[in-house]
Amino acid sequence: MAILFHSGPSSAQRWRPLLAELLPQMEVRFLPDIGNPSDIEYAIVWQPPDGLLASLPNLKLVCSLAAGVDHILHDPTVPAHLPVARLVDPHMAEVIAEYVAVQVQFIHRNGLIYREQQHRRHWQEHRQPDAGARIVGLLGLGRLGRAAAERLRLLGFPLIGWSRTQKTIDGMECLSGEGGLDTVLRRSDILVCLLPLTAETVDILDQSAFERMKPGSALVNCARGAHVADDDLLAALDRDHLSGAVLDVFRTEPLPSEHPFWSHPKIVLTPHVAAYTNPGTAAQIITENIRRAEAGQPLLDLVDRAVGY
Amino acid sequence: MAILFHSGPSSAQRWRPLLAELLPQMEVRFLPDIGNPSDIEYAIVWQPPDGLLASLPNLKLVCSLAAGVDHILHDPTVPAHLPVARLVDPHMAEVIAEYVAVQVQFIHRNGLIYREQQHRRHWQEHRQPDAGARIVGLLGLGRLGRAAAERLRLLGFPLIGWSRTQKTIDGMECLSGEGGLDTVLRRSDILVCLLPLTAETVDILDQSAFERMKPGSALVNCARGAHVADDDLLAALDRDHLSGAVLDVFRTEPLPSEHPFWSHPKIVLTPHVAAYTNPGTAAQIITENIRRAEAGQPLLDLVDRAVGY
């Protein structure tokens, strides 16, 4: 009986002592040292290689090292009834809410404009509205979206939000359905994407979406790169319909060095750092789920494979 | 009896109707159309030309269009007993607190590093502490400093502050005196300057101050350019002692296009926009002071000429 761990190489170093302490009775193996595949009952993973999970005959549970599970489920060989758990870590929600707040305020305070002016050595003040006059639209109202909403409300921004299923959040208008999406696109001054990546949300921010957005509005994407149709975004920026975009996630990561996003004057780019997994809190949450599986108790935060998150 | 208004040309356009509405009995003149200098009893100004105020024999009160008054008092011909009022506008305090919060969080989330990496098309994540592990030091604990402190505390940063006279603010350590300044310099991860510019604070951020700052710490200056010794800052950045600086104010504004700050990879520069005067609220506050002067009542927010603010 063993656990298989797979993430970046420096992650293994940080997780090894945590897992040893929290699950002293379990053997933990680190890819590529799987040993006998039949021994593996649990997998704790970020971007497992295609086919890996299907090759483990006694796997009982897959624990994602990220809030999303698209990095696991895009592999069509993952068995249909294998339980997959998202990582739902309040610490991560705070970290991503902080990122959203920073970038929304950066845009609000004309940071994109002033960055471009600095590049040209150009000194020009721009009038700006107060935060109370900038409508922030949130796509995705799960735990991350809610944490972001709470922080943005504290900072004085009026909020409007959209999710697949109808949600209710104090102090903001929550919409759902195709008509609701249309409303959020049309009314937002700054649009923030925090959606899960599913068959329904891939390319949700395409030419049709950008056309419905307000002239001069801006986008923050810290969900997944595949939510955005790259060429459509570039076109919307280049014809000055959108004023800018802050992107943390990309279709291919690391973003290839020849990609036009790198040098676009209206794009601020960060290397997938909006959320970071904090081993200290995440290890507690993941090992609790493994402990439950061992004890035959109900598992936490399982993915509904029909909807994809 | 008349009021003289002087600021930028577009300001006059916005202030004319406000002053006409709030002080209908007063004639308001806009530089350079002073008319008879003896008529002028009140001056509402930003950066009045040297000698202007001394040339108005019946001037009773000068109202600053900014929180600071250095732009008025640097003129040695301003009569010693002429009352000068600062603009103390809660709206402005909120606006500058927002700027401080944006820039502190930008630095906290490695924004300076990622901006430089984007320029080089370089993809690299950097580990970072939570906000609770970044000590923000505030120089200046007047109304603007307090507003900034309140917002930063809300965002989870531990705070330490320094001011000329000892202050008390809930939830943060407030220091004063030369020893207190030393402590704040040595303990801050991100140092924010919100001081008034006086004979005592000019060049307060010089080589000696930068040497006492933590290796890797960063500076936000949204007070006045003359608080910072430009060459000393450049030297501290270039030897990697400081990790970066966000500067909104400069010794000469607009910043001359040949100044090395423009293109420095560790400097983010904004064109004196941390605070902006909101005519809607500021006109109420300034005309209330003029109404008080007319009624012989005590004036608000007068500058202590001995200390310079």
Side-chain angles (χ1 to χ4, degrees):
Chain A
M1 180 164 85
I3 295 174
L4 179 65
F5 182 95
H6 174 62
S7 183
S10 67
S11 290
Q13 221 174 356
R14 299 178 76 194
W15 280 79
R16 195 187 294 270
L18 288 167
L19 293 174
E21 187 196 327
L22 290 163
L23 294 172
Q25 75 286 15
M26 295 247 186
E27 186 191 348
V28 184
R29 297 177 188 169
F30 294 83
L31 212 67
D33 305 320
I34 300 183
N36 182 350
S38 309
D39 299 342
I40 308 292
E41 294 186 336
Y42 303 98
I44 304 174
V45 292
W46 164 248
Q47 293 186 331
D50 279 4
L52 173 70
L53 299 176
S55 75
L56 306 172
N58 296 316
L59 195 57
K60 290 184 190 163
L61 172 65
V62 180
C63 303
S64 172
L65 280 164
V69 290
D70 52 293
H71 64 104
I72 297 168
L73 300 183
H74 75 90
D75 173 2
T77 71
V78 175
H81 298 290
L82 179 63
V84 175
R86 303 164 56 210
L87 174 59
V88 179
D89 183 344
H91 179 274
M92 188 190 280
E94 281 313 305
V95 164
I96 204 165
E98 179 179 79
Y99 181 92
V100 169
V102 175
Q103 302 299 356
V104 165
Q105 291 182 100
F106 174 80
I107 293 168
H108 162 58
R109 292 300 296 242
N110 293 328
L112 286 157
I113 298 170
Y114 293 135
R115 187 188 66 153
E116 195 274 327
Q117 287 189 183
Q118 179 175 357
H119 190 67
R120 289 190 290 125
R121 297 174 179 250
H122 179 67
W123 179 282
Q124 187 185 346
E125 284 179 58
H126 295 270
R127 290 243 179 92
Q128 59 161 99
D130 292 337
R134 298 263 202 200
I135 298 172
V136 178
L138 293 171
L139 301 183
L141 300 174
R143 287 180 172 98
L144 305 184
R146 281 166 187 269
E150 200 170 311
R151 201 173 268 244
L152 290 167
R153 189 171 40 237
L154 216 63
L155 297 170
F157 295 97
L159 304 175
I160 180 170
W162 180 80
S163 53
R164 188 180 60 87
T165 57
Q166 182 63 44
K167 302 277 170 69
T168 309
I169 301 178
D170 270 2
M172 72 180 281
E173 193 175 347
C174 295
L175 301 166
S176 61
E178 196 47 51
L181 177 60
D182 191 70
T183 302
V184 173
L185 291 170
R186 290 186 192 282
R187 281 178 42 195
S188 302
D189 295 300
I190 302 171
L191 185 72
V192 179
C193 180
L194 281 168
L195 290 166
L197 184 63
T198 68
E200 282 180 43
T201 66
V202 68
D203 283 328
I204 193 169
L205 296 167
D206 62 359
Q207 188 189 341
S208 153
F210 296 133
E211 274 170 6
R212 287 179 282 168
M213 285 174 70
K214 267 187 195 171
S217 62
L219 172 69
V220 177
N221 186 18
C222 40
R224 289 289 181 259
H227 286 121
V228 172
D230 290 4
D231 290 341
D232 295 355
L233 174 59
L234 288 167
L237 291 167
D238 288 341
R239 64 187 172 89
D240 285 336
H241 181 62
L242 295 192
S243 61
V246 175
L247 305 175
D248 185 56
V249 287
F250 306 90
R251 290 189 171 251
T252 305
E253 296 179 3
L255 186 67
S257 63
E258 68 279 8
H259 198 288
F261 283 172
W262 280 109
S263 59
H264 199 286
K266 291 181 177 175
I267 290 177
V268 165
L269 182 161
T270 54
H272 203 142
V273 293
Y276 46 90
T277 302
N278 177 42
T281 49
Q284 301 272 359
I285 292 162
I286 287 172
T287 57
E288 166 64 14
N289 232 2
I290 292 174
R291 204 194 53 71
R292 284 171 166 256
E294 286 294 288
Q297 293 167 344
L299 300 176
L300 304 173
D301 306 315
L302 286 185
V303 169
D304 177 347
R305 297 288 287 277
V307 297
Y309 67 96
Chain B
M1 180 165 85
I3 295 173
L4 180 65
F5 182 95
H6 174 62
S7 183
S10 66
S11 289
Q13 220 174 354
R14 299 177 75 193
W15 280 79
R16 196 188 293 269
L18 288 167
L19 294 173
E21 186 196 327
L22 290 162
L23 293 172
Q25 74 286 15
M26 295 249 186
E27 186 191 349
V28 184
R29 297 177 188 169
F30 293 83
L31 212 66
D33 304 320
I34 300 183
N36 182 349
S38 309
D39 299 342
I40 308 292
E41 292 185 337
Y42 303 99
I44 303 174
V45 292
W46 164 248
Q47 293 186 331
D50 280 4
L52 173 70
L53 300 176
S55 75
L56 306 172
N58 295 317
L59 195 56
K60 289 183 190 165
L61 172 64
V62 180
C63 302
S64 173
L65 279 164
V69 290
D70 52 294
H71 63 104
I72 298 168
L73 299 183
H74 76 89
D75 173 2
T77 70
V78 175
H81 297 291
L82 180 63
V84 175
R86 303 164 57 208
L87 174 59
V88 178
D89 183 344
H91 179 274
M92 188 190 280
E94 281 312 305
V95 163
I96 203 166
E98 179 178 79
Y99 181 93
V100 168
V102 175
Q103 303 299 357
V104 165
Q105 290 182 102
F106 174 81
I107 293 168
H108 162 58
R109 293 300 295 243
N110 293 328
L112 286 156
I113 297 169
Y114 293 135
R115 186 188 68 153
E116 195 274 326
Q117 286 190 183
Q118 180 174 357
H119 189 67
R120 289 190 290 125
R121 297 174 179 248
H122 180 67
W123 178 283
Q124 187 186 346
E125 285 179 58
H126 295 270
R127 290 245 180 90
Q128 59 161 99
D130 292 337
R134 297 264 201 198
I135 298 172
V136 178
L138 293 171
L139 302 183
L141 299 173
R143 287 179 172 99
L144 304 184
R146 280 166 187 268
E150 200 169 311
R151 200 174 269 245
L152 290 168
R153 189 169 41 235
L154 218 62
L155 297 169
F157 295 98
L159 304 175
I160 180 170
W162 180 80
S163 53
R164 188 180 60 87
T165 57
Q166 181 64 42
K167 301 279 170 66
T168 309
I169 301 178
D170 270 1
M172 72 180 282
E173 192 175 348
C174 296
L175 301 166
S176 61
E178 194 49 50
L181 177 61
D182 192 69
T183 302
V184 173
L185 291 171
R186 289 186 193 281
R187 281 178 42 195
S188 302
D189 295 300
I190 302 171
L191 186 72
V192 179
C193 180
L194 281 168
L195 290 165
L197 185 64
T198 67
E200 283 180 42
T201 66
V202 67
D203 283 327
I204 193 168
L205 295 167
D206 62 358
Q207 188 189 340
S208 152
F210 296 134
E211 273 170 5
R212 286 178 283 167
M213 284 174 69
K214 268 187 195 171
S217 62
L219 172 69
V220 177
N221 186 19
C222 41
R224 289 288 181 258
H227 286 121
V228 172
D230 290 4
D231 290 342
D232 295 355
L233 174 60
L234 288 167
L237 292 168
D238 287 341
R239 65 188 171 87
D240 285 335
H241 180 61
L242 295 192
S243 61
V246 175
L247 306 175
D248 185 56
V249 288
F250 305 90
R251 290 188 171 252
T252 306
E253 295 180 5
L255 185 67
S257 62
E258 69 278 8
H259 197 288
F261 284 172
W262 280 110
S263 59
H264 198 286
K266 292 182 176 174
I267 290 178
V268 166
L269 181 162
T270 55
H272 202 143
V273 293
Y276 46 91
T277 302
N278 177 41
T281 48
Q284 301 271 0
I285 291 162
I286 288 171
T287 57
E288 166 65 14
N289 232 1
I290 292 174
R291 204 193 53 69
R292 283 171 167 257
E294 287 293 288
Q297 292 166 344
L299 299 176
L300 303 173
D301 306 315
L302 287 184
V303 168
D304 177 347
R305 297 289 286 277
V307 295
Y309 67 95

